[in-house]
Amino acid sequence: MAKIKDVLSENRPTLSFEVFPPKSADLYESVEKAAGEIAALNPSFMSVTCGAGGGNRQYTVEIAADLRNRFNVSSLAHLTCVAATKESVDTAIADMKTHGIENVLALRGDLPAGMEALPENVAFHHANELVEYIRANSDLCIGGACYPEGHPEAGSKDEDIKNLKRKVDTGCDFLTTQMFFDNSILYNYLYRIREAGIEVPVCAGIMPITNAKSAKRSVELSGCVFPARFRALMDRFGSDPGAMMQAGIAYATDQIIDLIANGVYHIHVYSMNKPEVARGIAANLSQIIK
Ligand code: FAD
């Protein structure tokens, strides 16, 4: 299995998928089945999210381990630090090592509702501190998150990019972007971060919107903007599940093809435990990402 920085160092398109872990043991099997079906598409790697509070972290590691050890796909385990201590991060690193996981996405996680900043006395205030700690205490390949439309808490995009530069300089090997629905936003962002001296590979995060509920949730979570072309598609097909599924996969495919045509080679699809969505996208790209 490979470190993701090596996968991304090759000058060719890559396609990766994301799944989320089960909330409880009785759901483990169904998540594992969905992850296995997506893994059968032979993606460049797969990532597994974790809850901001870290409560389901064990399942994150177990699904990531299944992907690597049973389904033969390089896996990336997410790790949040908003509620972490140095001891809990030590345990997380040790668990990953035991399961053979080589890649971690180091995240802060969202602040608890109503909180504007973390108290002084917590172990980690921002993801750069987690990146620094993991770098000093493991040989994991480390990814970080970035936000083409700016992180919702940042005062400005410039400030957000300065913070990102600090995080990358601390030890990120690669970045994955928040979802976006207008590629011109990503092209502008890439220009700005490269100008700021951020040189690590960037995976473009693509969210296929396949139902009206996921559209609402995506906007709430990320604050991203839907372009008029996407809103028209939602208006027309949003109430017809089959049509919306087809239209959402087509829109995501169109975004990905435009990105690759313009030299953005690394595509990370928020496939959300939906093998049918991952399959639809992979089939549409079968001759483009081989
Ligand atoms: P940070 O890099 O710490 O940035 C957060 C904010 O603080 C930004 O506004 C930034 O500009 C600012 N900032 C950063 N460093 C500093 C500093 N040193 N001083 C002052 N300000 C600073 N959430 C989950 O709970 N689980 C997941 O699995 C998960 N996966 C994600 C995957 C991707 C690809 C992305 C893009 C997001 C994901 N998230 C996940 C959401 C993420 O946890 C939230 O967006 C969170 O609010 C910020 O996390 P971060 O790691 O980007 O934080």
Side-chain angles (χ1 to χ4, degrees), residues 18 48-52 78 80 105-111 125-129 144-147 151-154 159-160 163-164 166-167 176-178 270:
E18 183 160 302
V48 188
T49 65
C50 70
H78 293 202
T80 53
L105 192 72
L107 298 148
R108 187 198 64 183
D110 281 333
L111 296 174
H125 299 87
H126 289 284
N128 65 291
E129 294 166 14
C146 65
Y147 302 83
H151 185 269
E153 283 166 39
E159 191 191 307
D160 204 29
N163 289 331
L164 181 66
R166 183 190 303 113
K167 179 160 72 177
T176 303
T177 77
Q178 180 61 284
Y270 295 115

Side-chain angles (χ1 to χ4, degrees), residues 14 21 38 57 77 97 110 113 125 150 152 164 232 239 243 255 268 283-284 288:
T14 64
I38 298 174
R57 188 180 55 72
K97 201 175 163 130
D110 281 333
H125 299 87
L164 181 66
S239 57
Q255 264 193 287
H268 187 64
N284 287 344
I288 292 172

